[in-house]
Amino acid sequence: MKPHIEEVIVVEGRYDKNTLSQVVDATIIELGGFSVFNNTQKLSLLRRLAKEKGIILFTDPDGAGFVIRNHLKGAIADGRVLQAYAPDIYGKEKRKKTGGKEGKLGVEGMKPEILLDALHRAGATFAGEAGRSRGEPITKADLMELGLIGDGSSAKRAELIKRLELPEHLSTNALLEVLNLLYSKDEFLALGL
């Protein structure tokens, strides 16, 4: 069974997310590399998650990874931002024909035990350790009851996303995930939707 991590893990790309999701049970957000620099909605969400839940920046150990990490450190001034660092291990990922510019493995190329060690060293909150409980989770049934899922729900969902200042392109599943990161069921219902 994969260990559960309370904080949101932030990685550069989908291959990093795929690798980590095989090792830990956690919410993992991919940045899309340097595109995050111009994505104000994603930065806004990361700021909010840092305040509400805590985030773990886990970028590749190369120059590009540190440019992204440093940009995010400057862009997210408040909240809990932990830093997980992959060690410098030289080689190339199996899916690639050639190695990276610096010849280092990225997050996607790391062994599970190395990833877990990096998360422990970063101070990640693993299930069973002290942490706050958010209460009962929000379910799809709750969203359906509120008219946020089903026929004619897209306008109401768009209104909610705008009201809560969330990224506009969230799928229904992603919206549910973000809502559960930010609110318990009682907190969400207290918003008076």
Side-chain angles (χ1 to χ4, degrees):
M1 191 165 140
K2 299 183 285 190
H4 177 74
I5 294 179
E6 297 294 325
E7 294 84 7
V8 176
I9 302 173
V10 180
V11 296
E12 290 180 52
R14 69 176 184 255
Y15 294 105
D16 301 325
K17 179 178 180 176
N18 182 48
T19 297
L20 270 173
S21 67
Q22 294 174 40
V23 176
V24 294
D25 173 34
T27 301
I28 304 169
I29 294 178
E30 64 179 85
L31 297 171
F34 289 113
S35 70
V36 73
F37 289 12
N38 299 313
N39 190 332
T40 57
Q41 290 180 333
K42 189 167 276 186
L43 284 172
S44 177
L45 176 61
L46 292 174
R47 286 184 193 106
R48 187 165 181 188
L49 291 172
K51 288 180 188 175
E52 296 284 333
K53 186 97 170 142
I55 63 173
I56 302 171
L57 298 180
F58 204 164
T59 60
D60 292 346
D62 59 8
F66 276 86
V67 168
I68 293 168
R69 181 188 298 272
N70 290 332
H71 175 77
L72 292 175
K73 281 195 296 191
I76 305 169
D78 298 321
R80 185 166 188 243
V81 180
L82 303 175
Q83 305 287 333
Y85 295 96
D88 287 343
I89 298 175
Y90 291 88
K92 74 170 191 63
E93 284 82 4
K94 291 178 184 177
R95 70 174 179 87
K96 296 181 178 177
K97 290 182 181 178
T98 60
K101 187 187 277 188
E102 296 176 32
K104 299 175 186 177
L105 291 176
V107 170
E108 74 170 277
M110 298 289 162
K111 292 181 179 177
E113 58 271 16
I114 293 172
L115 296 172
L116 285 170
D117 182 56
L119 290 166
H120 275 287
R121 283 185 280 116
T125 306
F126 285 79
E129 295 179 6
R132 68 179 183 151
S133 172
R134 297 237 21 128
E136 190 178 342
I138 304 160
T139 65
K140 281 191 173 182
D142 297 324
L143 296 183
M144 187 168 286
E145 227 174 90
L146 294 168
L148 296 166
I149 296 178
D151 292 339
S153 63
S154 60
K156 191 166 184 178
R157 205 168 41 252
E159 184 181 309
L160 172 71
I161 286 171
K162 187 172 183 172
R163 179 176 164 198
L164 298 179
E165 299 176 340
L166 299 173
E168 66 180 330
H169 299 293
L170 287 175
S171 67
T172 303
N173 287 337
L175 174 62
L176 181 61
E177 186 176 50
V178 169
L179 290 174
N180 275 303
L181 289 170
L182 298 173
Y183 307 101
S184 69
K185 182 176 182 173
D186 290 338
E187 292 168 337
F188 180 63
L189 295 175
L191 295 174
L193 305 170

